[in-house]
Amino acid sequence: MPVIQVRELHKRYRDKIAVDSVSFDVERGEIFGILGPNGAGKTTTVECVTAMRQHDRGTVSVLGLDPHRQTAELRQRLGVQLQESELPDKLRVREALALYASFYRNPADIDELLDTLGLADKQDTAFAKLSGGQKQRLSIALALVGSPEIAVLDELTTGLDPQARRDTWSLIEGVRDRGVTIVLVTHFMEEAERLCDRLAVIDAGRIVAIDTPAGLVAGVDDEQRIRFRPSAPVEDSVFTGLAEVRSVERHGPEVIVTGYLLHAVTSVLARRQVIADGLRVERANLDDAFVALTGRQPG
């Protein structure tokens, strides 16, 4: 049985529909991503799931519990890291963990959490003195301090530099390896592709697709894009005359040929004794799938 079941979830703010008939399941032990641009309804959806906001219509079940009728029990079994969560500037790392641990009947071992999340040497540091990456590590620790079965992480790596983001991804993978089911809200394509077992793509309050990252990408035409700089002038007609080629573009000296075509393009260049400098072969990725599903660029 799924650990989260959402059916026909609907939430309106005055004249704006934030969540429109959203339905999905989350299976135990997976990292389930909710992917979409800012303002798509991702955060409102998880706030309804975690009993932080009352939905207007639909049903939600988390670990067999009704979030709004069995809130106290749910909060003992669910960890939540909110977008842009803040703590008092002077509150120290260990103090924060001890405070949060006091809210739970079966809290995690604080020393183990500090070690696991790389915060042991910062345990006496005030929140205001932590770097962005360290604050995010603390946010994860606070979400895990109650030994939850499910952790909901909302826009976890927004504002982090690339290295801190990748470090955080490794931490999330480690959390899942400990048996915690994770719901990850994100608008970063690379993050979703790296971490998530399955993804719900949400746009304008509606889910437009649910699948594995590979499954979503496979739904896009499996074309190749070949980029190169020809060593001698080549007319577009040389490529468009090939059955395998769908389109040809030029960006300055670079030629971009799209289709099902690597062997066909390299063969025609070889026959003309033209070298393809800087040749790169690209395939569809999650960005392409997102554009195909929503009609707009991610971000």
Side-chain angles (χ1 to χ4, degrees):
M1 182 177 176
V3 292
I4 298 176
Q5 292 180 301
V6 178
R7 295 291 180 271
E8 297 297 318
L9 186 69
H10 188 95
K11 179 64 180 177
R12 173 191 289 270
Y13 300 113
R14 295 184 181 177
D15 60 346
K16 176 180 173 56
I17 298 175
V19 179
D20 189 2
S21 301
V22 163
S23 299
F24 61 89
D25 292 339
V26 178
E27 303 296 333
R28 185 176 296 276
E30 73 174 336
I31 299 180
F32 183 84
I34 300 179
L35 174 68
N38 292 326
K42 306 186 302 296
T43 295
T44 298
T45 297
V46 296
E47 286 178 344
C48 292
V49 169
T50 57
M52 303 185 70
R53 194 173 298 278
Q54 179 65 58
H55 54 278
D56 300 326
R57 296 199 306 273
T59 61
V60 178
S61 172
V62 183
L63 296 167
L65 304 171
D66 182 320
H68 291 284
R69 293 182 180 178
Q70 298 166 289
T71 307
E73 175 62 21
L74 179 61
R75 286 178 176 167
Q76 289 294 320
R77 302 170 66 184
L78 182 72
V80 180
Q81 177 270 331
L82 294 174
Q83 188 176 357
E84 298 181 1
S85 54
E86 290 289 326
L87 294 171
D89 284 350
K90 295 183 179 180
L91 189 66
R92 300 179 188 278
V93 169
R94 176 176 279 277
E95 291 173 338
L97 285 168
L99 174 64
Y100 276 58
S102 70
F103 302 151
Y104 297 97
R105 59 178 175 244
N106 296 308
D109 182 278
I110 290 177
D111 288 319
E112 181 181 343
L113 268 182
L114 288 168
D115 286 337
T116 299
L117 294 169
L119 290 170
D121 62 342
K122 297 294 181 181
Q123 61 182 305
D124 295 320
T125 301
F127 181 77
K129 300 292 186 182
L130 298 176
S131 68
Q134 290 162 352
K135 287 179 179 179
Q136 294 298 60
R137 287 169 181 264
L138 179 56
S139 290
I140 298 172
L142 294 175
L144 298 178
V145 74
S147 301
E149 296 171 55
I150 302 172
V152 178
L153 308 176
D154 187 4
E155 298 288 4
L156 185 65
T157 62
T158 297
L160 297 186
D161 63 62
Q163 185 57 55
R165 182 171 294 146
R166 283 169 173 75
D167 290 345
T168 303
W169 293 347
S170 296
L171 291 175
I172 294 171
E173 290 169 330
V175 171
R176 192 266 299 276
D177 291 344
R178 293 165 58 184
V180 180
T181 302
I182 295 173
V183 177
L184 180 68
V185 180
T186 185
H187 66 273
F188 291 119
M189 298 295 138
E190 185 182 2
E191 181 166 285
E193 200 158 18
R194 156 84 180 262
L195 293 177
C196 296
D197 300 298
R198 291 189 303 132
L199 286 166
V201 179
I202 188 167
D203 185 46
R206 283 183 168 272
I207 287 181
V208 296
I210 298 179
D211 206 336
T212 64
L216 291 172
V217 173
V220 181
D221 285 341
D222 189 23
E223 294 180 328
Q224 296 172 330
R225 286 188 296 271
I226 298 179
R227 297 173 177 264
F228 62 92
R229 297 184 304 279
S231 62
V234 182
E235 297 295 326
D236 288 357
S237 59
V238 169
F239 305 112
T240 56
L242 299 172
E244 298 89 346
V245 171
R246 185 175 64 82
S247 66
V248 178
E249 302 175 51
R250 292 181 184 265
H251 293 169
E254 187 176 56
V255 177
I256 305 169
V257 184
T258 302
Y260 306 89
L261 43 73
L262 179 59
H263 178 71
V265 170
T266 54
S267 295
V268 77
L269 290 174
R271 288 197 298 271
R272 286 164 174 77
Q273 297 184 327
V274 175
I275 298 171
D277 291 326
L279 186 143
R280 287 183 293 153
V281 180
E282 302 172 349
R283 290 187 179 272
N285 56 28
L286 197 56
D287 292 67
D288 299 313
F290 185 87
V291 172
L293 289 165
T294 67
R296 55 177 167 160
Q297 295 291 331

